[in-house]
Amino acid sequence: MAGPRILIIPGSLRTGSHNAKLAAAAAYEFAQAGVQATRISLADFPLPIYDADLQAKSGIPKHAINLKRMIGSHHGVLIVTPEYNSSVPALVKNTIDWVTRVQDPHETRGQVFRERAFAIASASESRLGGTRALAGLRLILSACHAMVIPNQLALSFAGHAYDDMDRLKHSGDIEALTSLVRQLIEVSQRMM
């Protein structure tokens, strides 16, 4: 049996984002584990702020449909989110809100969340490493009936966490990322 396919979604569009760097470091770890990982940018899936009137008038945007199908073509998903004002940024929440509205004819609503494993991570300049955003994201995904693995990564002091190659340089951070990657692979394989 082939290994699981993992989708990596950085929740930041900012140039030089610590979370985009963490997503790239995770992609490297998945490759080291022999697992196919696809890293995307939400800039390629621009969506308006969710509005039920807009949905009723114009339908679901094609980017939401395409992203939902992208998620559906993978066995596991890693979302790497920044923390804004002690919470999940609007980009991440809005993306999830739109994807939950996509329902193909042969599916039940939200099926794409229930049928794959999710992992969450965050990188922040703060000592807490985005833990408050992770708590919020875990709650949002759980409300979508997603299976979120227990392991998560909150990368503290992210401005000093990477080497010149944008790889994690501290052994504790490397071990935490490796542990998260392994657990997502294991749970994704069980759900295949």
Side-chain angles (χ1 to χ4, degrees):
M1 175 191 330
R5 292 185 311 279
I6 305 296
L7 181 64
I8 303 170
I9 305 174
S12 176
L13 304 179
R14 184 178 62 81
T15 302
S17 161
H18 296 306
N19 288 280
K21 288 180 183 180
L22 184 55
Y28 176 79
E29 288 297 321
F30 283 112
Q32 293 298 107
V35 171
Q36 179 186 345
T38 306
R39 184 167 38 111
I40 64 168
S41 171
L42 291 178
D44 296 328
F45 301 89
L47 295 166
I49 296 297
Y50 180 75
D51 177 348
D53 289 338
L54 176 65
Q55 180 182 347
K57 179 181 176 185
S58 306
I60 297 172
K62 67 176 180 169
H63 291 301
I65 295 167
N66 292 341
L67 182 55
K68 181 262 180 189
R69 290 182 179 153
M70 172 80 72
I71 292 169
S73 70
H74 291 78
H75 303 102
V77 179
L78 169 60
I79 300 175
V80 186
T81 184
E83 180 177 284
Y84 294 172
N85 298 314
S86 303
S87 188
V88 177
L91 175 66
V92 174
K93 177 68 167 75
N94 189 60
T95 299
I96 293 170
D97 288 345
W98 272 115
V99 170
T100 63
R101 301 306 189 260
V102 181
Q103 181 179 346
D104 285 324
H106 61 282
E107 295 178 331
T108 59
R109 186 168 171 189
Q111 185 172 333
V112 74
F113 289 96
R114 291 189 303 275
E115 293 185 341
R116 55 216 18 89
F118 283 78
I120 56 176
S122 184
S124 171
E125 292 275 1
S126 79
R127 179 175 45 88
L128 296 177
T131 54
R132 293 166 296 197
L134 292 176
L137 182 55
R138 185 176 291 278
L139 181 64
I140 292 164
L141 290 170
S142 295
C144 296
H145 304 286
M147 207 310 289
V148 185
I149 66 170
N151 205 343
Q152 65 183 31
L153 173 59
L155 181 65
S156 304
F157 307 114
H160 304 286
Y162 303 98
D163 64 19
D164 294 338
M165 303 285 290
D166 283 340
R167 293 215 178 94
L168 293 174
K169 64 182 181 181
H170 303 296
S171 60
D173 295 337
I174 295 167
E175 288 171 17
L177 179 58
T178 301
S179 177
L180 177 128
V181 163
R182 285 184 185 147
Q183 189 173 63
L184 183 57
I185 292 169
E186 289 169 10
V187 175
S188 296
Q189 282 176 324
R190 287 198 303 263
M191 294 183 73
M192 288 173 63

